[in-house]
Every structure is written in C-alpha cells, then in structure tokens.
Amino acid sequence: MSKKTKLDIYPNSPLIEVIFEIKFPGEPVVECRRDIFFDFIREDYSKIFVPQAKEGSFVALEPYHFEKEDRSSGIMLAINKFSYYCRKYPGFALFKKEVIRLLEMFKKTYPKINTLSRTGFRYVNIIPFTREDGIVPLNRFLKVKLQMPTTIPERYKNISVGFIAKTNGGSITIRIETLLAADKSGEAILLDIDYAKEEGLSIAHVKKYLDESHTYSRQLFEDLITESYRMFLRGESI
C-alpha cells in the first residue's frame, strides 16, 4: 500500500457513516440488563428504536437502537453484538474516544462477556457523479479496473460489484455500486469498506483492534481513490 496520508478527515469527505462493531456468543443477559445499560447512556442517547418482527428472523438477534436527538450517531445492542455508528464523522480520534467510553459502560453492564467472535470497522462513502455520454466515469474517482473479456467494452452504464478477501486474522469486504437518489435528482457511487477481525479476539484488546482496523481501512481508501479525486476531497480543485 502507498504511504498513509496524514489527514484524518477531508474537508469534502464522501463519508456518510462510520461503524465499529463487536460480536460475541449470544448472551441472554444482554436482554435482562438492557435497562441498566440504557441508564448509563440515556443522557446522550435518549431516542429508542425497538426492532420489529420480520418474517424468517429472530427478534432477539435484531438490535435495539439508541440514538442522539439529532440522530447524528447511535448504538446498536442485540443478544450477540454491540456497535457504535456515526453519521457526522468527527475524525478518528473523537470517534475512538466515544467507542471506548461506550464500551466501558458495556463492560460494566455485562462483565461476563469477554470473548469476541468478530470485530468490524466500516467506512460507507457516497461519491456523487455525472454521467459522461451515458457512462459511469468510474476511473475519475477510483483506481478500480474490472477485468473482463475483450468482447465486453469497458463502458459501464451501471456497476454492482463486491468481494470478500482474506486478511491476516480476518477479512476485508468491498462493495462498489452505482445508486440513484430516491427523488432521482442525482447519482452516486457507493464505496463500502468493511474490515473484520475474526480470530483469537478478547474484549480486553478492543483498542488495539480498533486502531488496526482504522489504519487498514483508511489506507485502503487512500489506495483506491485517484489523485484527482483526492485533490477534490482536499478542496484543492473543483
């Protein structure tokens, strides 16, 4: 990978959501003590969203959502997972500080949950674009080349690709997809990066996992974007 940028967050950042999640073997105590956890966070995350029953799913596995009044960030809590998500990303230092603060409350509420089955750090980016002769100008934004037979022209009207790659102790999931706004006012490219650790995990080392996941995910983003798009994100070009 190329040299890591010193910037934490770009002025013209395409980020719409950043999420950190831990998963653990299912514990019924999560449901029994959910009110105790809420007492720790109610001052900051007062809005409660209860999961609805879905056909073919188990309600206990669906998370409760606790959100700030302005819905800028929130917490998901289910019988087998805990996550913090932020829709107005303040930069990694503040994001990490809040994750660690909330995890301390989680550990006080559920002291017997020690072993983790997965941690995940996710960057969700939305990159607006304008078509060129009806084609998605992917190479203006991302250094991604889809290897196709020569009989398929590299002029894509729409894109929807994804893959999961094995990493040391986990995996990286990438999704790239063209999206149309609900009101059809414009289009965008979704760039979804999800870095997971899945082996030998303990809640005692979550800070380490979070740092490693952020470093890898941020560097992957830097390696995927073109230099011209990076200049735009920095505010150096139109």
Side-chain angles (χ1 to χ4, degrees), residues 54-225:
K54 300 177 183 177
E55 185 177 352
S57 68
F58 299 96
V59 174
L61 297 178
E62 297 296 324
Y64 274 60
H65 289 235
F66 305 100
E67 293 194 346
K68 289 191 172 182
E69 280 294 328
D70 63 1
R71 305 200 67 179
S72 60
S73 61
I75 300 155
M76 290 190 289
L77 180 64
I79 196 172
N80 64 343
K81 64 183 176 182
F82 166 93
S83 65
Y84 171 68
Y85 54 93
C86 185
R87 300 187 181 107
K88 294 182 180 179
Y89 188 55
F92 181 66
L94 292 177
F95 180 86
K96 175 184 175 180
K97 182 178 180 180
E98 184 65 355
V99 168
I100 299 306
R101 185 180 79 90
L102 293 172
L103 279 172
E104 288 303 315
M105 299 174 188
F106 177 85
K107 288 189 286 186
K108 288 179 181 179
T109 309
Y110 308 110
K112 292 184 179 180
I113 297 178
N114 296 305
T115 301
L116 305 180
S117 55
R118 184 186 188 274
T119 66
F121 184 86
R122 189 176 174 192
Y123 267 151
V124 183
N125 300 274
I126 293 292
I127 304 171
F129 73 89
T130 301
R131 290 179 179 268
E132 299 176 359
D133 296 326
I135 303 304
V136 179
L138 184 65
N139 60 2
R140 288 189 177 274
F141 305 100
L142 302 178
K143 293 184 287 188
V144 175
K145 187 172 180 63
L146 305 179
Q147 295 292 335
M148 298 291 186
T150 56
T151 50
I152 300 178
E154 295 183 8
R155 292 171 56 80
Y156 305 113
K157 294 181 66 176
N158 285 297
I159 297 168
S160 182
V161 295
F163 62 86
I164 302 174
K166 184 72 175 176
T167 64
N168 184 22
S171 63
I172 183 78
T173 303
I174 305 290
R175 283 180 57 218
I176 301 173
E177 189 172 345
T178 49
L179 305 173
L180 178 64
D183 60 2
K184 299 184 180 181
S185 60
E187 293 182 281
I189 298 168
L190 167 71
L191 174 59
D192 191 335
I193 299 170
D194 188 354
Y195 178 74
K197 295 187 69 64
E198 299 160 335
E199 298 176 8
L201 305 176
S202 166
I203 199 167
H205 299 117
V206 166
K207 289 182 184 179
K208 174 185 173 183
Y209 309 147
L210 178 56
D211 284 334
E212 180 182 329
S213 299
H214 166 257
T215 298
Y216 191 101
S217 300
R218 177 58 191 257
Q219 189 59 60
L220 180 56
F221 175 81
E222 293 295 330
D223 290 346
L224 280 170
I225 63 175

